[in-house]
Amino acid sequence: IFLSHFFQFLDDLNRWSGLLISPFVHPERLLPAEHIAFVTESISAQTENLQRGPDSSKEIVKWSDFCSPLAYKPGEPFKLIAEASVDNFSSLGIAFLEDRLQMENGMVPHRIVSVHLEESFLKELAREAPSAKEKSSDMDAVTPAGKSGLGGAEEEKSKLEEEKEQEETGAGEHHHLHLSSCHECLQLENSTIESVKFASAENIPELPDDCSSRTQEEEDQCLQKGFKRINLAGKPPNILIYLGSEPAKGRFEQVKSVLRECIDAECYALYQLHQEQVLRDPWADNALLLLIATEEPIPEAIHRHFMQFLSRGGKILAFASSFTFGGVQIKRKNELRKVVHELVVSRQDSTEVKLNLLVSGCVFEEGMKGDGSRVRVLSRLSNADKDTVIVHLAHGSSGGEAILSQAHLELDSNSMEVQTEEDFNLLKMSNSKRYEVLREILTCLGLSCELSEIPELTPIYLLSPDEEIHLAFLKWLEGNVDAEGLRASSKVSLKFVSSRESKVEVTPSLVPVITEMGSFSSEHFSLQTYQQHLQTKKLGKILLFTEVTTTTMNLLDG
């Protein structure tokens, strides 16, 4: 999470220690007004949390090269206050978002939040700063196991609670950590965000102030009050696709495409889970569904992690995989491999559906000695042996469950596995039933398969509440676009046009930006209301507004 508008209390001062190299020791040397103060939260590599370590294939950015540390708080998450210039803060943020940010203490960056430091806080922390004799070095002391020796915890806690109460009732002044000279950032947080809220037809959901709770359970409950789409398991809406050691991009796109045809694409994000990430990255608490789509043997260590995921209430769907557990084992039948077979699937309403699918060449055997997992047969082949090809297994007491299929629900008639024209025709005729069965399976695992209509992409409007700034920005653009008005980037190119009369089609890779403000109108945003509530001198004066886009992440890439 990279936030620049999130109010953050720095709790009891007894938990924080100033560093010898920081201006806290000499509070008369406060941060320059053009610098930004921020908190970096990091976690140990073993802690199961959202972020993973830096991608070694990309250029690594060292945290300390772009900022000056001011104070730290040990524990989980480990917190560091630092200051940086606007450019350096931007560089840190980009590196963080691209998984290229590296901490010196071996921890994994988890969150970056800009804050405001009040002069009173700096001076109080400076008074408590340890002497050079008490600490042999500055950054060496910044370790997860470090201890803080500041006192007055209960008194400070009482102060913060009183300040929080004043803020909620509108009394008193804000006592978040603000630097008195950083007026522009203060105005951005207090005014620009409010301005957007007022200008939007659908107000940004209010999150309770106590969302800074230390327990994940309480934090999840806070978030649930503010957002509509919350799954019953309380996990982030991520679907991870595990393909073993296969690096093939095509296979991932194939499985991803099939899933997108079945689930509500607005509710879930799909990612590939690479083999090395299973053991290295903390993914288990941050995924709703793990889809296993490889015939490779599952290494024992990876199998243990998958079982831990189930024990925590995770869901697993496996296509033609060797993964199994409990009272079920796999039996190989080579005569079934790469051949289309008819199977009968039992539906939740006790009816049955028959369809033809490719089979992996393996079937499930029941009645083996297991671990008490509850097994239910969902589908058998229509052959003499009535071989079991799809089973449902429940595991643990937290709602973990898995549906394992030796039928290729992800493959259609265009698959390279199809060898005869007869098989091609059988699969083509069963295609609609295949999606029907797959949607029922995904629904059984707790996913929403109500398909919502995907709205058409819309152009971007370049807006400004200040006409002079708008004209100045257009003047700057003249030297920063090509002769056709194109601003190209690696993912999305922006085509600057004067009005909607320019018939430029909106695509995921090319978006027209309309610079004439007179033609702008929207049911969801009022520029006039935004202008009325905007109090800043510089920030928030240029807006790019669009109603429908694939992602905002790529619009200004590069």
Side-chain angles (χ1 to χ4, degrees):
I1 305 171
F2 178 66
L3 302 171
S4 61
H5 61 270
F6 189 81
F7 282 133
Q8 174 90 8
F9 281 109
L10 292 197
D11 45 16
D12 303 345
L13 285 180
N14 74 308
R15 297 171 179 266
W16 289 86
S17 293
L19 295 171
L20 299 179
I21 59 175
S22 83
F24 288 177
V25 179
H26 303 284
E28 67 276 7
R29 301 182 209 162
L30 295 176
L31 309 185
E34 66 273 12
H35 278 214
I36 293 176
F38 62 96
V39 174
T40 301
E41 293 185 3
S42 55
I43 58 175
S44 59
Q46 292 78 24
T47 301
E48 295 196 350
N49 226 309
L50 283 176
Q51 291 295 336
R52 56 182 182 271
D55 187 340
S56 58
S57 65
K58 300 178 181 178
E59 180 184 354
I60 299 301
V61 170
K62 289 188 176 181
W63 183 85
S64 61
D65 289 347
F66 286 81
C67 63
S68 298
L70 305 176
Y72 71 95
K73 188 181 88 169
E76 284 276 353
F78 181 68
K79 297 182 181 180
L80 276 163
I81 305 176
E83 63 93 9
S85 66
V86 174
D87 288 343
N88 283 349
F89 182 68
S90 300
S91 297
L92 283 174
I94 293 169
F96 174 74
L97 292 172
E98 295 179 350
D99 276 337
R100 298 188 290 111
L101 185 59
Q102 184 179 72
M103 307 296 291
E104 270 70 14
N105 55 10
M107 303 194 81
V108 180
H110 171 54
R111 187 199 308 244
I112 297 178
V113 187
S114 66
V115 296
H116 302 293
L117 302 176
E118 283 186 344
E119 186 173 347
S120 59
F121 171 82
L122 300 180
K123 290 181 177 179
E124 185 169 351
L125 192 55
R127 285 197 300 270
E128 302 288 352
S131 66
K133 293 180 180 179
E134 292 172 323
K135 289 193 177 180
S136 58
S137 63
D138 41 37
M139 285 306 289
D140 287 344
V142 185
T143 60
K147 298 293 183 181
S148 174
L150 304 182
E154 291 301 320
E155 180 183 349
E156 190 62 33
K157 181 178 180 182
S158 175
K159 275 188 192 176
L160 286 172
E161 287 175 350
E162 181 181 344
E163 290 164 358
K164 177 179 171 185
E165 184 179 349
Q166 286 180 338
E167 182 190 358
E168 289 173 345
T169 58
E173 43 183 278
H174 286 293
H175 287 280
H176 298 291
L177 284 153
H178 288 288
L179 185 71
S180 58
S181 59
C182 192
H183 299 298
E184 191 69 23
C185 288
L186 175 61
Q187 289 173 333
L188 173 65
E189 288 197 352
N190 285 353
S191 174
T192 310
I193 302 306
E194 288 300 311
S195 182
V196 173
K197 287 174 66 175
F198 278 112
S200 173
E202 295 184 17
N203 282 344
I204 299 170
E206 293 285 356
L207 298 183
D209 283 338
D210 58 1
C211 273
S212 56
S213 167
R214 290 182 179 83
T215 66
Q216 184 66 40
E217 181 181 354
E218 291 172 355
E219 185 178 349
D220 288 343
Q221 289 173 356
C222 285
L223 292 174
Q224 288 178 23
K225 296 175 184 176
F227 298 97
K228 295 178 182 178
R229 291 193 182 99
I230 294 293
N231 56 79
L232 296 177
K235 292 173 177 285
N238 298 324
I239 298 174
L240 304 182
I241 300 173
Y242 174 77
L243 302 173
S245 61
E246 302 176 31
K249 179 77 172 175
R251 175 63 169 159
F252 171 69
E253 293 299 334
Q254 177 189 51
V255 177
K256 179 181 176 180
S257 174
V258 171
L259 282 181
R260 284 197 170 277
E261 291 289 331
C262 298
I263 61 175
D264 184 350
E266 297 296 311
C267 288
Y268 306 102
L270 283 70
Y271 304 100
Q272 184 173 352
L273 179 66
H274 296 279
Q275 189 174 58
E276 64 274 13
Q277 292 175 316
V278 176
L279 304 178
R280 184 191 70 197
D281 294 349
W283 58 272
D285 285 334
N286 301 291
L288 275 179
L289 176 71
L290 170 65
L291 194 151
I292 305 172
T294 177
E295 296 185 8
E296 293 180 1
I298 305 293
E300 185 177 344
I302 290 179
H303 189 279
R304 281 198 304 271
H305 277 68
F306 289 170
M307 295 305 297
Q308 290 171 6
F309 175 62
L310 286 173
S311 299
R312 296 172 186 170
K315 317 289 184 181
I316 289 181
L317 174 59
F319 294 148
S321 168
S322 63
F323 176 77
T324 187
F325 62 94
V328 171
Q329 289 193 353
I330 290 176
K331 178 182 179 181
R332 181 168 295 279
K333 283 194 168 184
N334 291 327
E335 66 272 18
L336 301 178
R337 184 170 176 79
K338 293 186 178 181
V339 180
V340 172
H341 296 272
E342 183 183 71
L343 54 151
V344 180
V345 179
S346 301
R347 304 181 60 176
Q348 288 185 313
D349 60 4
S350 300
T351 60
E352 294 181 340
V353 58
K354 292 184 178 180
L355 71 161
N356 293 282
L357 294 175
L358 279 166
V359 179
S360 68
C362 295
V363 297
F364 295 112
E365 282 191 324
E366 304 164 71
M368 306 299 292
K369 185 176 180 181
D371 61 357
S373 299
R374 300 170 295 284
V375 182
R376 181 161 56 97
V377 175
L378 297 183
S379 178
R380 298 180 185 273
L381 295 180
S382 297
N383 59 1
D385 294 331
K386 304 294 182 186
D387 290 311
T388 300
V389 287
I390 305 178
V391 294
H392 174 278
L393 295 91
H395 179 75
S397 57
S398 299
E401 56 186 329
I403 292 181
L404 314 179
S405 173
Q406 292 302 328
H408 283 285
L409 287 162
E410 80 282 15
L411 298 183
D412 60 14
S413 57
N414 295 316
S415 169
M416 297 292 291
E417 303 286 327
V418 180
Q419 298 182 335
T420 67
E421 185 177 353
E422 182 184 3
D423 283 353
F424 174 87
N425 292 330
L426 288 172
L427 287 175
K428 194 168 184 178
M429 292 174 63
S430 292
N431 200 47
S432 60
K433 290 182 179 179
R434 178 173 66 92
Y435 277 109
E436 181 183 328
V437 169
L438 191 48
R439 288 191 188 101
E440 175 141 343
I441 285 175
L442 291 167
T443 302
C444 178
L445 292 173
L447 273 68
S448 170
C449 291
E450 297 178 7
L451 300 182
S452 56
E453 184 178 349
I454 300 176
E456 292 185 2
L457 297 174
T458 59
I460 296 173
Y461 279 88
L462 174 65
L463 305 174
S464 176
D466 188 311
E467 188 172 348
E468 288 186 11
I469 292 179
H470 186 254
L471 292 173
F473 189 78
L474 292 179
K475 185 71 176 174
W476 174 86
L477 269 180
E478 291 177 4
N480 288 275
V481 295
D482 65 15
E484 301 296 323
L486 191 69
R487 176 78 177 180
S489 78
S490 60
K491 296 179 181 178
V492 178
S493 295
L494 303 180
K495 170 80 171 178
F496 288 87
V497 296
S498 59
S499 69
R500 294 204 69 152
E501 301 301 319
S502 305
K503 302 296 182 182
V504 180
E505 183 184 1
V506 187
T507 70
S509 59
L510 178 63
V511 184
V513 181
I514 299 170
T515 59
E516 183 185 77
M517 294 194 293
S519 61
F520 173 74
S521 65
S522 172
E523 296 178 7
H524 307 293
F525 183 78
S526 165
L527 183 61
Q528 182 180 5
T529 308
Y530 177 83
Q531 182 178 10
Q532 289 171 356
H533 291 86
L534 186 67
Q535 303 294 321
T536 58
K537 295 177 182 177
K538 296 181 180 179
L539 297 173
K541 300 291 187 179
I542 294 290
L543 298 89
L544 292 177
F545 177 85
T546 183
E547 298 199 348
V548 183
T549 186
T550 53
T551 172
T552 58
M553 290 291 293
N554 297 336
L555 288 180
L556 301 177
D557 181 62

